[in-house]
């Protein structure tokens, strides 16, 4: 009895929510700006002009990368495993 009451009340709530939907059923047309401009004529930037000679670069020693890939003399066993896994 309680379950049927809950089901019926949910049904009526759904129907009421559906009836309160949008009143205007017509097509909604959205219009966006086709062109927008910015006036940069009055733009002012305050600051000091510095010469490019003020930049300095310091040299540093080149780092050596170590890779274990080049330490191996042959890759026969890895090649054989790859061929076996292809089947």
């Amino acid at each position: 009895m309680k379950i049927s009451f809950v089901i019926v009340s949910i049904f009526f709530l759904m129907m009421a929510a559906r009836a309160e939907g949008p009143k205007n059923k017509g097509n909604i047309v959205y219009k966006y700006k086709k062109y927008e401009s910015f006036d940069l004529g009055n733009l002012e930037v305050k600051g000091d002009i510095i010469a490019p000679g003020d930049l300095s670069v310091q040299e540093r020693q080149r780092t050596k990368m170590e890779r274990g890939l080049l330490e191996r003399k042959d890759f026969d066993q890895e090649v054989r495993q790859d061929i076996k896994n292809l089947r």
Side-chain angles (χ1 to χ4, degrees):
M1 183 73 175
K2 291 180 183 181
I3 295 175
S4 62
F5 177 72
V6 171
I7 292 173
V8 170
S9 61
I10 290 174
F11 175 74
F12 281 119
L13 286 173
M14 288 174 56
M15 294 302 289
R18 190 170 185 188
E20 292 178 4
K23 303 294 181 193
N24 186 3
K25 301 262 181 182
N27 293 337
I28 299 174
V29 178
Y30 295 101
K31 292 187 180 182
Y32 297 100
K33 291 182 181 179
K34 292 185 180 181
Y35 180 76
E36 188 170 338
S37 64
F38 297 101
D39 183 20
L40 299 177
N42 296 329
L43 183 67
E44 293 182 15
V45 178
K46 295 181 180 178
D48 296 328
I49 298 175
I50 59 170
D54 293 345
L55 299 175
S56 62
V57 178
Q58 293 180 350
E59 290 188 27
R60 57 184 172 160
Q61 189 176 4
R62 185 175 179 154
T63 59
K64 294 182 180 179
M65 306 297 287
E66 294 183 22
R67 297 187 305 176
L69 180 67
L70 300 176
E71 293 176 2
R72 204 175 268 262
K73 298 201 186 221
D74 61 354
F75 290 91
D76 291 338
Q77 186 170 353
E78 284 78 8
V79 171
R80 287 188 187 113
Q81 284 179 339
D82 289 339
I83 292 172
K84 286 179 183 177
N85 290 335
L86 286 176
R87 298 182 195 175

